[in-house]
Amino acid sequence: MTTIGLAGLLAASGALVVTAAPASAGVTRYVLPTSVSYTDARQPTVAFPTTAADVPVGTWQADGVKHTSRAYFTFDLTPYRGKEVIFAQVVTGESSVTDCTKPRELELWRTDTPAAPPTWNTAPAVREKVGDVGPTAPCPAGYLELGVTEVFRQAVADGRDSLTLMARIAGDHEGNKHFGRRMEKPGVSLQANGAPDVPGKLSVSGRACADGLLVGTTTPVLTAEVTDPDRLEPYAGDQVRATFAWWPVDRPAERTEWTSSVWYAPATIPYTLPGGLLVDGGTYAFAVRAADEHAASGWSPECRFTVDTVRPPAPTVASADYPADSGYPGHGGPGIAGDFTFTSAADDVAGFWYGRSGLTTYAAAGPGGTATVSYAPERYGPDWLYVQAVDRTGNPSPQTRYEFWVRNTAPTVTDGNPDGWLGQPRELTFAPNMTDVVEYVWSLNDGTQRTVAADAAGAATVTVTPTVVRNTVHVRSRTRDGVLSGDAGFTFSVRTAPFVTSEDWPFDGTPGAPAGTEGSFTFKPAMADVTEYVYAFDYGDPHTVAAGADGSATISYTPADASHHTIEVFSRTSAGVESDPIGLAFYPASVAPTVASEAYPRNMTGGGPGVPGTFTFAPHPSVTGVTSYVYQFRDEPEQTVAANADGTASVEWTPSAYDNTYGGWVELRVRARTAAGVTTDAQYYSFRVDPQSPLVTSDVFGWQGGAVVGQTGEFVFTAQLPGTTEFVYSFDDGAEVTVAADAAGTARVSWAADSPYGHSLTVRSRTAAGIVSGPTYYSIFIDPS
């Protein structure tokens, strides 16, 4: 009879196995035997080592021949030296059983470990019975187990390197084939625990333990690395705790201990000493030990440290090369290194941190608590260094800001042809800002670097031919001692935009020829081979004009009005190369006529709906021969009126209604025309029509409340517009209603509120001729009930 084996259940050697043992410290492994063999009484001098999945135990029959076997399993104990065996259990199973009606008489015995696979005749000495395997388990059994904790524990305690277990059928049943079976190769689920290692790598506030250790805080963080031999890669190791013990060195009786929470080894475990316990100048010691659930390590060697919380004072800084607060023009120069000496008054200074934009560089202090460093400024003008002293503990001082002025050593550059065109050579003269200059190193637009010798005065001249609009010449002088100056970085632009001139309209903001006058603009090139110009007035459509033989061109233009005008021009060569554009502004002088009205004065309120007004037009003093005026009131058609012999003209205008769209404001535009056909620029005349809105009163309703829903009251309308015959009104922007005015120009309207809160009333008056006043807006508030 056969049954399911352990192939799907048992893991390979070294794998973790979950067992019924309680969770506790120590790593559980499933341990396979290092050797498996069986013997055969039928062949008493032959050993049968095997790697098969199962072995015969008891009596079995093959080819009519009877065999009797015992099986031997040897386990390696060397990984468990010095460890405590917590739990061990043999796990096996049956691959076949001859007769399941017979009880299972399978036994395990401990024997000596044979030097070689044993035979029936050379079987190792039997030492003790370990136990019966699964006497009550169902048959056949795919899973059998037997506790072997004490056997393994004793073997490890005795210092043995291996343990051999023998499987056999008990007593006289061994020769009875009905009790025989094939036993699957067993393994041992073994949990063992080794004590954690003595903690190491002790540190205080991130500083490794060493003689004379100083810390700058009274609440340092103590750390120790804790390891444990019970580790199974790649899984985490055993769970451990660290106990920190610390005490004042001169008062060891004040020892204090603290135990951490659980960590998985290996781990660096921290402990922050509480505040108020350590004092400046005190020397303390601490030690650490580790423990898992079953064992503890020894104490680590003690680590001593002294508390030093006194910060050094701010350092002083001195430099003969770059004196402090020297001011313009300064000393040295960009790229010229100078020595700076840092000094601290503290007797335990270790060094200095310094830098221009932060504390980036460290210099160790020498005898006397000083350090001298070399620093080369990168640019001329005001410069500075931040410096901070640090004592042996690491305590930082306040920062010192050392300020100084760096001299501008860059040569000056003079352009001998600032108006040169593209492709035209120009001479650049270099003059020194350092003494004993012997040469200059220069390049144009990051091109090839060149060298030119200086003359006796330290100056030099080079010729450059720009081929692009924007150019940069990098130039540095060099002294006889090889000291380089700063970079001049001389930039210049080559003009390609044309030159634009006009005798009629200046470009300096002053008014030119009057609007309506024909004038001209002349274009001259700033490039070679210019064949035409493209121009536009007031950002309008572009126009093109051909250039003459000398590359220039002239155009005529007549501005229509006296407002701000612009002209934009660029040139174009025969090859199609376009210049940069140039944009200019000009202002024609105004020759607009004057406008006057008594009824409707300029920029004031006058007249009213139905009130006629006379508007008188007069020519500008510089304009003669005016024959007519073209005028337009806002939103009305443009009209023309003939001028009188003196050049003036008058028109009458009457508003039929108040124009609420513009708040009653009206704009009148007027231009004069001469016999020569010239039309002047426009005069803009603004005025406001008096709305003559009616008055509205009520004894019941008002914006301040006091009335309720359903309450009825009257409104009294009083006309301000002469000749009013009726009023047009509406509540809450609803349908308009008309009510007749009495002889006194008044009317009464009754109204009852149908809802609380805000309401509105709009009222206009109207004459029999249809003249309409401006509106009156009356606000009403109805109290909620």
Side-chain angles (χ1 to χ4, degrees), residues 37-346:
S37 64
Y38 65 90
T39 60
D40 186 353
R42 187 76 181 178
Q43 304 173 76
T45 61
V46 179
F48 296 92
T50 182
T51 59
D54 58 6
V55 292
V57 179
T59 298
W60 49 287
Q61 192 169 0
D63 299 330
V65 179
K66 182 179 180 181
H67 302 264
T68 301
S69 296
R70 296 175 181 174
Y72 296 85
F73 313 101
T74 299
F75 296 89
D76 181 17
L77 298 182
T78 56
Y80 306 102
R81 289 173 183 166
K83 294 187 178 183
E84 176 188 0
V85 175
I86 300 170
F87 174 80
Q89 181 173 268
V90 168
V91 179
T92 183
E94 295 169 331
S95 58
S96 65
V97 176
T98 304
D99 185 356
C100 272
T101 64
K102 301 297 183 183
R104 182 180 293 107
E105 297 289 347
L106 181 61
E107 299 176 339
L108 281 185
W109 294 74
R110 182 176 68 84
T111 70
D112 291 344
T113 298
T119 67
W120 188 273
N121 290 344
T122 61
V126 176
R127 297 302 179 184
E128 61 179 316
K129 182 179 178 180
V130 176
D132 297 318
V133 180
T136 61
C139 178
Y143 179 85
L144 295 170
E145 62 182 28
L146 176 65
V148 292
T149 302
E150 292 303 322
V151 174
F152 273 79
R153 181 180 291 158
Q154 189 60 50
V156 171
D158 291 344
R160 291 200 293 271
D161 292 339
S162 61
L163 174 67
T164 299
L165 297 177
M166 177 188 70
R168 59 164 291 172
I169 299 301
D172 295 340
H173 299 307
E174 189 175 31
N176 187 336
K177 69 177 183 179
H178 291 282
F179 290 87
R181 58 223 323 112
R182 290 192 71 84
M183 175 182 177
E184 293 192 1
K185 180 169 65 177
V188 176
S189 179
L190 192 149
Q191 184 183 32
N193 181 70
D197 303 316
V198 174
K201 296 184 180 180
L202 274 62
S203 73
V204 185
S205 291
R207 309 179 76 180
C209 189
D211 292 340
L213 178 61
L214 298 170
V215 297
T217 174
T218 57
T219 58
V221 178
L222 313 180
T223 64
E225 183 181 71
V226 176
T227 58
D228 190 285
D230 299 321
R231 183 173 179 84
L232 189 62
E233 297 294 352
Y235 303 98
D238 210 348
Q239 293 184 339
V240 294
R241 287 181 168 86
T243 297
F244 288 77
W246 68 276
W247 60 93
V249 167
D250 58 349
R251 302 188 302 279
E254 297 180 12
R255 178 185 180 103
T256 300
E257 292 188 3
W258 173 86
T259 300
S260 73
S261 58
V262 170
W263 293 64
Y264 283 98
T268 298
I269 301 179
Y271 169 53
T272 302
L273 288 176
L277 300 180
L278 275 59
V279 297
D280 178 63
T283 299
Y284 303 87
F286 80 99
V288 185
R289 72 173 179 183
D292 58 26
E293 188 172 337
H294 293 273
S297 72
W299 286 96
S300 70
E302 72 176 39
C303 175
R304 293 192 173 193
F305 61 93
T306 299
V307 175
D308 175 11
T309 58
V310 178
R311 297 178 63 186
T316 59
V317 183
S319 175
D321 300 317
Y322 290 98
D325 300 322
S326 54
Y328 181 84
H331 296 75
I336 300 176
D339 287 340
F340 295 79
T341 299
F342 310 148
T343 304
S344 174

Side-chain angles (χ1 to χ4, degrees), residues 454-498:
D455 59 21
T461 299
V462 299
T463 300
V464 299
T465 303
T467 59
V468 296
V469 172
R470 293 163 185 81
N471 302 267
T472 300
V473 174
H474 295 283
V475 56
R476 304 176 74 183
S477 62
R478 180 182 283 131
T479 68
R480 194 177 308 277
D481 296 332
V483 177
L484 279 171
S485 74
D487 181 7
F490 176 75
T491 60
F492 64 94
S493 295
V494 180
R495 177 184 178 126
T496 63

